[in-house]
Amino acid sequence: MAAVNEIACKPDIVGVGPQDFSPRLSRAQSQPVSDVQNDCRNPSLRRWRVMEVVSLNGTRSRHVYGHDVTNDTGRASSAIKEFDLEAMTATTRSGRSYQLVGAPGNARSGEYAWQHWCRINGVASEVDVTNQYFSVDKLFPHKDEI
């Protein structure tokens, strides 16, 4: 739970969406877990999700959460400031750069960290916007589209 407290932020920080950086999701590449560097300041998340929240004061922001491969724990980020679809990295208000490894998914430890983050930051509502950042259909087109 210490990692969750370390990355918590105030709910009045606004993040940005993928439309602010690049409309092309087809260039998203995943990185094998074996290639992940051991860097606590720049964690690598697997089975990750991107969520848009509305705080109690009406402010919107986007955040990433998942299983932190580097520290083998659940992790939830502060608001996303920049998202690089080419490198699949999310840079947050806190200055961390989260490397998103592999496809999105559901990690119990990440979900726990996310729910804790929402409680301590006064989240009024949340929406999963992961599909705006990653599209399996774009990576593996149907036979008719080739």
Side-chain angles (χ1 to χ4, degrees):
M1 210 159 38
V4 174
N5 291 331
E6 176 188 328
I7 61 175
C9 76
K10 296 181 178 155
D12 60 346
I13 304 299
V14 178
V16 292
Q19 68 280 1
D20 297 322
F21 304 103
S22 174
R24 297 178 301 176
L25 294 177
S26 61
R27 300 188 70 162
Q29 299 292 318
S30 63
Q31 178 181 7
V33 174
S34 61
D35 293 344
V36 173
Q37 296 179 1
N38 187 8
D39 184 348
C40 292
R41 184 79 181 138
N42 300 307
S44 296
L45 298 180
R46 67 180 177 146
R47 295 190 316 260
W48 52 272
R49 310 291 312 161
V50 180
M51 303 297 288
E52 180 173 287
V53 299
V54 177
S55 67
L56 294 174
N57 69 5
T59 303
R60 291 182 183 273
S61 59
R62 289 188 175 191
H63 307 262
V64 65
Y65 77 83
H67 177 252
D68 178 352
V69 177
T70 307
N71 299 299
D72 194 25
T73 188
R75 187 99 169 202
S77 77
S78 57
I80 296 172
K81 283 186 354 182
E82 295 179 59
F83 195 92
D84 183 338
L85 284 171
E86 301 260 341
M88 287 306 289
T89 57
T91 304
T92 63
R93 181 202 57 84
S94 69
R96 284 188 176 83
S97 180
Y98 290 83
Q99 175 72 50
L100 306 182
V101 179
N106 295 306
R108 278 185 268 164
S109 61
E111 178 69 25
Y112 176 80
W114 176 245
Q115 294 304 320
H116 180 75
W117 187 96
C118 288
R119 276 193 307 278
I120 66 173
N121 287 284
V123 170
S125 67
E126 63 183 85
V127 161
D128 188 328
V129 295
T130 304
N131 64 346
Q132 294 178 19
Y133 293 81
F134 185 89
S135 174
V136 173
D137 291 337
K138 297 285 185 183
L139 290 175
F140 304 106
H142 296 295
K143 186 169 66 171
D144 302 344
E145 297 172 358
I146 298 176

